[in-house]
Amino acid sequence: MKPAPFIPLTFTEYSPEDMLLRSRQFYQLIKQRRTVRDFSDRPVAREIIDNAILSAGSAPSGANKQPWHFVVVSNETVKKEIRLAAEAEEKAFYQHRAPEEWLHALAPLGTDEHKPFLETAPYLIAVFLKKFTYHEAQKQKNYYTAESVGIACGMLITALHYSGLATLTHTPSPMKFLNTILQRPSDERPYLLLVTGYPSEHAEVPNIQKYSLSEVCDYI
């Protein structure tokens, strides 16, 4: 295999003062991100979604295999089909599959099997994890797929928040119905269903706190 061509790095260096300011500004912005369950049906320009997905696609990945595929759903009929399938799985989860400990942890958030946001929000972004890539009829294994797709999803959520949109990470289990509805190959694994759009005018979120720096970080 030929070595990859290398090009000069494009990198912007800031003064220490500007770096500190930028880090503070970003923290102030990102700490306002909250999971939203009450969405408006206001339209969102497709280019905003395009740019967010391109941002996610710039994520690092094992051997640069980029083991992800995004399916953006705005069609009302397809959104309803996804909602019905997701609610069926969620009903089974809440009524039969979930252990009591898990239900107890979810109770303060007020979640249940009803997912109207899957139809209300203008966009659903289904993220698929690709264990393999096919190139010129050759099946090639991808590496560190869960880590790579997880990083890409984090960047996608951040890009949408930075653009001024709300998001909800939805992970009904199992999610193989997404392969059927969205006509994706069976060897792709549904990783995340990201709901995005404007929050509704009267949206509320739980009054919860994030851990402090000392609780999540050690310096050695």
Side-chain angles (χ1 to χ4, degrees):
M1 181 178 294
K2 294 181 180 179
F6 279 68
I7 59 175
L9 171 67
T10 299
F11 181 82
T12 302
E13 184 170 328
Y14 301 95
S15 69
E17 295 78 15
D18 283 344
M19 291 172 66
L20 182 57
L21 176 62
R22 289 168 64 88
S23 71
R24 288 172 175 166
Q25 290 174 334
F26 183 79
Y27 172 60
Q28 292 303 316
L29 172 69
I30 202 65
K31 77 175 185 177
Q32 295 173 17
R33 191 219 60 83
R34 296 296 304 272
T35 295
V36 170
R37 291 182 173 81
D38 296 309
F39 283 86
S40 166
D41 61 0
R42 291 168 57 192
V44 172
R46 174 175 164 173
E47 188 177 359
I48 296 171
I49 306 301
D50 291 346
N51 288 332
I53 291 174
L54 288 170
S55 298
S58 73
S61 61
N64 191 38
K65 291 293 187 177
Q66 303 172 57
W68 44 67
H69 188 84
F70 304 91
V71 179
V72 181
V73 181
S74 59
N75 180 279
E76 298 299 328
T77 301
V78 178
K79 287 197 295 181
K80 182 174 184 177
E81 192 175 354
I82 289 174
R83 177 185 178 180
L84 292 174
E87 287 185 337
E89 293 294 351
E90 292 286 59
K91 184 176 181 179
F93 168 79
Y94 279 96
Q95 295 186 7
H96 305 291
R97 294 200 298 258
E100 285 299 319
E101 183 179 8
W102 196 346
L103 293 176
H104 180 74
L106 290 171
L109 303 178
T111 59
D112 58 27
E113 67 268 27
H114 302 293
K115 310 297 178 184
F117 47 75
L118 292 175
E119 285 191 84
T120 306
Y123 289 106
L124 308 179
I125 305 174
V127 185
F128 290 85
L129 180 155
K130 299 168 61 175
K131 282 288 187 181
F132 302 96
T133 296
Y134 296 87
H135 181 67
E136 297 180 352
Q138 295 290 322
K139 184 178 181 181
Q140 301 176 354
K141 182 179 179 181
N142 296 329
Y143 302 95
Y144 294 103
T145 52
E147 295 86 349
S148 301
V149 177
I151 294 169
C153 286
M155 293 177 65
L156 176 60
I157 293 167
T158 302
L160 291 167
H161 177 73
Y162 183 81
S163 300
L165 295 177
T167 55
L168 167 71
T169 53
H170 186 46
T171 53
S173 180
M175 287 195 287
K176 290 297 284 185
F177 62 84
L178 288 174
N179 292 74
T180 302
I181 295 173
L182 302 179
Q183 301 179 20
R184 297 306 305 166
S186 60
D187 61 356
E188 290 185 4
R189 178 166 69 86
Y191 188 89
L192 175 68
L193 186 59
L194 188 67
V195 186
T196 190
Y198 292 103
S200 70
E201 184 178 352
H202 304 292
E204 294 184 340
V205 294
N207 184 16
I208 57 177
Q209 303 299 319
K210 297 297 184 180
Y211 290 131
S212 67
L213 181 63
S214 63
E215 292 174 298
V216 300
C217 177
D218 287 304
Y219 281 85
I220 298 175

